[in-house]
Amino acid sequence: MPRLLHTVNPCFPRSGHRFLRSICQAYFGKDMKFKSMHMVKDRGIEDANYIKDHDFGLCNDTPDRAVTPEAQYLIQYRHPLESVQSYFEFRVHHGHNEDSAESWAEFLPWGVEYWKAFVGKWCLDAERLQGVRCHVVRYGDLYADTMGSVESAVTFLTGAQEDIDRARLETAVGRFTGGFARYAQEQSEGARPVKRARDIRDFRYFDDSLYDIEDSLAEDYLAPLGLTRLTEAA
C-alpha cells in the first residue's frame, strides 16, 4: 500500500473529519497511523502520520499549532453557521452545554469567532502558508462528491507517489456512504441513522439574525472560501 506522508489534519469541529478519516483508514489499513491532538491519551504522536487537530489554541488562550514545512496539512472546514450549529448540538449531546435558546445565544458568537480564526489561519493567510503543502476538503464537496474528494485527498496524503487502487477506494467509500452516523458512538455501534445533510434552517434555534451574521462574513470569508450562502442554497 502507498506510504502516507506526515500529515496534520487541521479541521474545524463538525466539518467531516471522521467521515473522511474513516474512508482513508479503510483504504490505507495499517499503513495509516492516526492520532488526535485534542485527546489527552493520544499525546504521543511521534509515530503518527495522520494527526487530527482542531487547533483549539485559537480560542482558548493557549499556543496554537505552528505551521511548518516539515509537515503537510489536510484542511477541512464548512459553512460557519452549519458547523457552529452542529458543534453546539454535539456539545449538548455530550452534556457540555444546556439545550436552550440562552445557551445557544451565548455559544454562537464564540463559535463564529473561533471559525473566523481557524479559516483565517489555515485558508486565508497566504503569507503564513507560503511554501507549505496544503490541501483543502470542504464539507459540501465531500458530501456531494465523496469519491472525487477522497481520491484527491488520498493523492495528497501519498504525495502522488503511488497510483490509486480504484477498486480498493470504491470499496472504502462504499462502506461509509448511503447513510452516516452523526456521533462516534453511533458509528462504533454500526448505526447509520442519518441519510442526508441537514439544512441549518431546520435547526430549532434558527432565526433571521443568522442571515445578518452571514452577511457580515460574505465578502471577507464566504466568497474567498467558495462557500454558498444560505439564501443561494434555498
Side-chain angles (χ1 to χ4, degrees):
M1 287 303 297
R3 179 177 61 86
L4 279 75
L5 302 182
H6 180 73
T7 304
V8 177
N9 177 209
C11 49
F12 192 83
R14 314 304 294 167
S15 295
H17 158 80
R18 181 161 46 83
F19 183 41
L20 176 60
R21 186 239 302 172
S22 296
I23 295 173
C24 288
Q25 285 178 315
Y27 179 79
F28 287 110
K30 64 181 181 180
D31 288 339
M32 181 171 162
K33 298 175 174 58
F34 168 72
K35 291 291 182 181
S36 176
M37 282 297 296
H38 74 284
M39 300 293 287
V40 174
K41 65 181 179 180
D42 285 342
R43 288 299 181 185
I45 63 170
E46 294 80 5
D47 297 326
N49 56 20
Y50 191 107
I51 303 164
K52 172 187 176 183
D53 192 354
H54 288 320
D55 209 353
F56 282 131
L58 293 168
C59 62
N60 63 10
D61 298 323
T62 61
D64 60 356
R65 171 175 284 278
V67 180
T68 169
E70 280 73 47
Q72 62 172 15
Y73 299 92
L74 179 63
I75 300 157
Q76 291 182 264
Y77 65 87
R78 185 180 184 180
H79 187 290
L81 299 181
E82 291 178 341
S83 51
V84 171
Q85 168 257 310
S86 182
Y87 190 30
F88 174 75
E89 292 192 327
F90 172 88
R91 290 182 58 84
V92 168
H93 177 78
H94 291 284
H96 302 306
N97 282 83
E98 179 183 287
D99 189 0
S100 68
E102 292 78 12
S103 179
W104 165 244
E106 182 177 347
F107 182 82
L108 175 60
W110 175 88
V112 170
E113 289 304 312
Y114 172 27
W115 183 89
K116 287 166 61 178
F118 181 91
V119 297
K121 173 181 176 178
W122 290 108
C123 304
L124 302 175
D125 190 340
E127 183 176 353
R128 187 198 296 254
L129 299 174
Q130 185 174 7
V132 178
R133 183 172 162 79
C134 298
H135 179 72
V136 170
V137 178
R138 292 180 296 197
Y139 179 91
D141 296 334
L142 181 61
Y143 175 78
D145 180 17
T146 303
M147 179 62 74
S149 294
V150 175
E151 183 174 349
S152 63
V154 167
T155 299
F156 176 75
L157 289 168
T158 63
Q161 297 177 43
E162 301 282 348
D163 292 335
I164 291 178
D165 184 334
R166 292 202 60 84
R168 186 180 182 92
L169 184 63
E170 289 172 1
T171 298
V173 169
R175 286 182 56 187
F176 296 96
T177 51
F180 60 95
R182 183 152 287 138
Y183 302 117
Q185 180 181 356
E186 294 172 342
Q187 181 169 316
S188 67
E189 295 170 349
R192 296 185 181 184
V194 182
K195 300 301 181 185
R196 63 179 180 84
R198 289 181 301 173
D199 188 324
I200 188 179
R201 287 160 289 198
D202 295 330
F203 177 51
R204 57 190 169 283
Y205 302 125
F206 184 90
D207 61 47
D208 288 348
S209 68
L210 296 184
Y211 289 118
D212 295 332
I213 294 175
E214 189 178 52
D215 286 343
S216 73
L217 299 172
E219 182 176 354
D220 294 332
Y221 293 94
L222 303 188
L225 293 170
L227 292 170
T228 301
R229 298 178 64 174
L230 298 178
T231 50
E232 296 171 354

